[in-house]
Amino acid sequence: MKLRAISDEDKFARRNAILRAAADLLDESDYHDISIASVARKAGLAKGTIFLYFKTKEELFLQLQMKEYSSWFEYVNGRLQKLLRDKKKTTIVGVVKAVMASIG
């Protein structure tokens, strides 16, 4: 990774790398066992760099959760929009199936 993220594009990429590292660690460990230092190591950054993007561990993981929810809502919305375009298939059962398919 570059020594310094200067452009907005580089900063966005670095922020996403931090979020990916946090997500990877969360797949392997419990939230309480993850430290900012371990996120920094996983992302290949200095611990202090993490704090340039997120004030606390809690903020980091809340942002990760928001990112995951946003992706899920976009997926569900796309499925529901497809259903709405085909008025004959738009039923409560169809809506429930679309949402359930996104979970499993």
Side-chain angles (χ1 to χ4, degrees):
M1 199 167 274
K2 292 181 182 178
L3 291 178
R4 191 160 193 190
I6 296 172
S7 71
D8 288 342
E9 185 178 294
D10 288 344
K11 290 176 183 178
F12 182 77
R14 175 138 316 152
R15 185 178 189 280
N16 281 331
I18 294 166
L19 289 168
R20 272 193 313 277
D24 289 347
L25 289 170
L26 197 56
D27 284 342
E28 303 165 4
S29 306
D30 185 62
Y31 167 81
H32 297 290
D33 296 331
I34 300 170
S35 66
I36 289 292
S38 63
V39 173
R41 268 192 307 280
K42 185 83 170 174
L45 300 168
K47 181 179 169 182
T49 302
I50 305 298
F51 292 111
L52 295 174
Y53 294 87
F54 305 96
K55 293 178 186 172
T56 63
K57 174 184 166 182
E58 291 78 13
E59 181 185 342
L60 167 59
F61 282 91
L62 283 171
Q63 290 296 317
L64 177 60
Q65 188 176 30
M66 287 172 51
K67 184 177 179 183
E68 293 296 320
Y69 281 145
S70 179
S71 296
W72 180 74
F73 284 127
E74 285 179 27
Y75 174 80
V76 170
N77 189 45
R79 300 274 313 241
L80 295 176
Q81 291 301 319
K82 269 185 176 176
L83 279 175
L84 290 173
R85 282 193 290 276
D86 186 356
K87 302 257 188 233
K88 293 177 186 175
K89 292 184 180 179
T90 305
T91 64
I92 293 295
V93 172
V95 170
V96 170
K97 284 182 179 181
V99 172
M100 293 304 293
S102 73
I103 296 171

